[in-house]
């Protein structure tokens, strides 16, 4: 019998999780509510605010997964982590009316592995190409990158599938986190069709 949309979504996201875990990522589960301090950033601007928030840490519906992933990064750094690779597949709520969408968010920072890199006697840091490789391996289809300028990124690109903009990726400016290593993030719309594309190599 044909799979329902819910079953196809579940199957797609399970495959996505398995592929990212195989590349060393850990799944994060963060709150759908963001704090007042996030409202002024490009990741929280225009967020739909609650009428009666219970605390200043939960005042609006998140329009992006990135603030939650950055908060998870900070907790990992305080715990002494040298390398952090996180992903979250979850709901966001788009301004101005709170339209719900499902997105994949990725964050990575720190050492690429626990062993020295083959090109020399120093440890290699995770970089933008690791982020691009993770997007390809997740099975998000044929994604192209187009360079843009955005104040909260040291390096910023839009992610396209054909001529459709699907999301963004880039390196955060150092003022946004306490990490000593560069921090790379991506956020991409999950496909409506819930059909997994072949994984990258």
């Amino acid at each position: 019998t044909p799979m329902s949309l819910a079953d196809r979504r579940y199957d797609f996201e399970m495959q996505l999780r398995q592929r990212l875990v195989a590349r060393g990522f850990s799944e994060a589960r963060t709150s759908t509510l963001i704090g007042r301090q996030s409202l002024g950033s490009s990741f929280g601007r225009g967020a739909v605010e609650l009428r009666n928030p219970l605390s200043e840490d939960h005042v609006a519906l998140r329009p992006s997964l990135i603030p939650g992933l950055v908060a998870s990064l900070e907790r990992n750094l305080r715990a002494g982590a040298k390398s952090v690779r996180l992903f979250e597949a979850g709901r966001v709520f788009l301004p101005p009316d709170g339209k719900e969408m499902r997105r994949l968010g990725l964050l990575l920072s720190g050492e690429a592995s626990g062993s020295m890199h083959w090109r020399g006697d120093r440890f290699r840091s995770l970089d933008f190409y690791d982020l691009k490789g993770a997007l390809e391996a997740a099975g998000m289809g044929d994604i192209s990158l187009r360079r843009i300028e955005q104040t909260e990124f040291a390096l910023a690109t839009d992610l396209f599938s054909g001529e459709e903009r699907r999301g963004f990726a880039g390196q955060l400016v150092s003022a946004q986190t306490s990490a000593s290593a560069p921090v790379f993030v991506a956020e991409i719309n999950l496909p409506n069709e819930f059909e997994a594309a072949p994984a990258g190599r």
Side-chain angles (χ1 to χ4, degrees):
T1 60
M3 294 177 69
S4 69
L5 285 179
D7 288 339
R8 288 165 65 193
R9 177 194 288 125
Y10 178 81
D11 186 59
F12 173 81
E13 292 190 8
M14 284 302 297
Q15 291 181 51
L16 181 151
R17 289 179 169 91
Q18 290 166 2
R19 291 166 178 169
L20 289 171
V21 168
R23 290 184 71 90
F25 281 76
S26 298
E27 184 171 10
R29 297 287 181 90
T30 64
S31 175
T32 57
L33 299 175
I34 58 174
R36 195 168 300 283
Q37 74 280 359
S38 297
L39 296 181
S41 77
S42 63
F43 304 120
R45 195 169 296 125
V48 177
E49 296 188 43
L50 305 182
R51 290 184 178 176
N52 297 298
L54 295 177
S55 75
E56 289 296 292
D57 293 329
H58 301 90
V59 300
L61 296 170
R62 65 182 180 189
S64 170
L65 299 170
I66 302 303
L69 290 174
V70 170
S72 294
L73 168 68
E74 297 290 349
R75 288 192 292 272
N76 277 272
L77 294 176
R78 287 194 295 270
K82 302 297 184 187
S83 179
V84 178
R85 304 184 205 201
L86 299 171
F87 75 91
E88 180 171 11
R91 295 175 296 157
V92 299
F93 304 87
L94 305 183
D97 56 0
K99 177 185 176 183
E100 184 177 327
M101 289 190 68
R102 289 191 68 77
R103 288 184 178 167
L104 170 68
L106 299 173
L107 179 148
L108 51 82
S109 180
E111 296 174 359
S113 67
S115 57
M116 292 182 182
H117 186 51
W118 64 271
R119 286 182 291 191
D121 58 358
R122 300 179 64 185
F123 291 98
R124 183 177 77 82
S125 294
L126 291 163
D127 59 28
F128 191 82
Y129 294 101
D130 293 298
L131 182 66
K132 185 174 184 291
L135 282 168
E136 293 170 351
M140 298 304 296
D142 185 18
I143 299 295
S144 62
L145 287 71
R146 300 181 190 178
R147 183 74 185 267
I148 59 171
E149 295 297 326
Q150 193 167 336
T151 56
E152 297 196 335
F153 287 95
L155 168 66
T157 63
D158 275 341
L159 303 176
F160 280 81
S161 176
E163 291 303 311
E164 179 190 1
R165 183 183 180 275
R166 296 275 303 280
F168 62 86
Q171 177 186 341
L172 295 178
V173 295
S174 58
Q176 289 186 289
T177 76
S178 64
S180 57
V183 178
F184 300 92
V185 297
E187 186 168 88
I188 187 167
N189 296 336
L190 290 173
N192 290 331
E193 299 82 10
F194 313 118
E195 293 174 355
R201 288 180 295 179

